[in-house]
Amino acid sequence: MTDSSAYTPPKVWTWDKESGGRFASINRPVAGATHEKELPVGKHPLQLYSLATPNGVKVTVLLEELLAKGHSGAEYDAWHIDIGEGDQFGSGFVAVNPNSKIPALMDHSTTPPTRVFESGAILLYLAEKFVDFLPSDPAARPECLSWLFWQMGSAPYLGGGFGHFYAYAPEKWEYPINRFAMETKRQLDVLDQQLNQHQFVAGKEYTIADMAIWAWYGQLALGRLYDAGEFLDVESYVNVQRWAKEIDARPAVQRGRMVNRSSGDPAMQLHERHDASDFELRTQDKLEPAAEG
């Protein structure tokens, strides 16, 4: 397709604050805090500052899975970070994650407290801390880590590439949508072929690799990302569908999806999580009628 108004890059790029589409108000080419704001600290050693995007869901799923297996030390407080309002640029958050992206974790069980940022790093840190969901076998462990880092390297094409141009860009442009749709479908095919040979991504065991990949590609296959299921023909990836539904049925995964969620079905929204009872008592369908009354 030829476009007579094709963009010609200038010799030196400058920041146009009016560009950026849906996220123009928070996108910027510089790092650091924009305002002073301390982060709250709850009663548990693990303090999570996050939002129920795919990257946030990875971590809350792991925490709920750890608790389901009896790791009481994995109890956590989850604080809602509203990225649309720029909470990630508060001084307290930047001190935990200088990259100003969710999720960010503080582990107060260590002295001094340990900060961990980047979702893959948090998954690996927690799996090693509690010695679970990460194989110890010399062959299985690198396979798991390979797929974990496959997700970390692949998801920007899905989220920042396909998702941005298909769902969030101010206009629809054929070239970037085609470019990133092709790459997203290639990645789905990689995953589908792997899952044709194995129950879980890295083999027989359910691991942090599954949690990381499911949060992005599993939810995409289930029609939860970008309203793009039909466009990408996700039903055709039969092995991904089988795997995505199997993981989605796990109670810990269902709880993990709820934490720090602030959109969609009110019964699936738990803005903050401080206790296991919050899933029964503090979802938005329970709180909103009280607020209205």
Side-chain angles (χ1 to χ4, degrees):
M1 181 180 68
T2 301
D3 183 357
S4 59
S5 61
Y7 170 64
T8 301
K11 290 184 177 181
V12 179
W13 182 86
T14 56
W15 184 18
D16 177 2
K17 294 184 181 180
E18 298 303 316
S19 67
R22 177 173 167 180
F23 300 105
S25 63
I26 60 171
N27 288 337
R28 59 196 188 119
V30 293
T34 61
H35 58 281
E36 292 294 321
K37 185 177 181 180
E38 293 186 7
L39 290 176
V41 178
K43 62 183 178 180
H44 301 299
L46 296 178
Q47 298 292 304
L48 180 68
Y49 305 95
S50 192
L51 185 67
T53 65
N55 285 334
V57 165
K58 297 177 197 176
V59 177
T60 49
V61 163
L62 174 56
L63 287 165
E64 291 298 326
E65 291 281 14
L66 288 167
L67 290 169
K69 288 191 70 174
H71 296 283
S72 59
E75 273 291 353
Y76 67 104
D77 292 279
W79 302 93
H80 184 264
I81 299 297
D82 189 338
I83 61 175
E85 294 298 319
D87 289 352
Q88 69 275 34
F89 299 119
S91 58
F93 190 91
V94 173
V96 181
N97 184 355
N99 195 40
S100 292
K101 302 288 185 181
I102 64 92
L105 179 76
M106 287 296 294
D107 182 357
H108 291 267
S109 71
T110 66
T111 304
T114 300
R115 77 173 186 182
V116 195
F117 60 91
E118 290 295 322
S119 57
I122 295 173
L123 293 181
L124 185 55
Y125 176 81
L126 292 173
E128 290 182 335
K129 181 181 179 72
F130 294 103
V131 195
D132 216 335
F133 298 110
L134 179 63
S136 57
D137 179 83
R141 181 184 174 91
E143 182 74 5
C144 172
L145 294 178
S146 293
W147 284 104
L148 173 64
F149 284 95
W150 174 85
Q151 183 278 312
M152 297 297 293
S154 297
Y157 289 96
L158 170 54
F162 173 77
H164 176 78
F165 287 105
Y166 183 80
Y168 302 139
E171 298 178 41
K172 303 295 186 190
W173 293 302
E174 182 180 3
Y175 174 78
I177 290 175
N178 282 347
R179 168 68 180 88
F180 288 111
M182 178 175 63
E183 178 60 17
T184 298
K185 288 181 70 65
R186 189 192 68 80
Q187 293 170 359
L188 284 168
D189 195 40
V190 169
L191 189 58
D192 198 66
Q193 291 187 40
Q194 176 70 4
L195 290 167
N196 185 45
Q197 302 296 322
H198 305 282
Q199 180 180 2
F200 296 109
V201 170
K204 296 180 180 179
E205 292 185 52
Y206 172 58
T207 70
I208 54 174
D210 294 284
M211 300 175 203
I213 297 169
W214 180 88
W216 279 101
Y217 296 90
Q219 294 203 93
L220 179 69
L222 296 171
R224 295 176 185 155
L225 296 187
Y226 312 123
D227 194 24
E230 182 178 7
F231 180 76
L232 294 171
D233 190 23
V234 295
E235 292 291 338
S236 67
Y237 301 97
V238 294
N239 301 299
V240 174
Q241 288 289 328
R242 183 268 305 163
W243 165 84
K245 291 171 183 176
E246 181 177 348
I247 292 177
D248 192 54
R250 297 176 67 92
V253 173
Q254 294 171 15
R255 291 192 297 273
R257 283 189 59 226
M258 297 168 65
V259 178
N260 297 141
R261 186 167 299 282
S262 55
S263 62
D265 181 357
M268 287 295 294
Q269 294 183 40
L270 183 61
H271 290 189
E272 293 184 0
R273 189 266 191 215
H274 304 290
D275 188 85
S277 64
D278 291 345
F279 292 102
E280 299 296 328
L281 303 176
R282 300 197 61 79
T283 53
Q284 284 304 107
D285 61 320
K286 307 285 196 325
L287 298 180
E288 287 175 353
E292 293 171 0

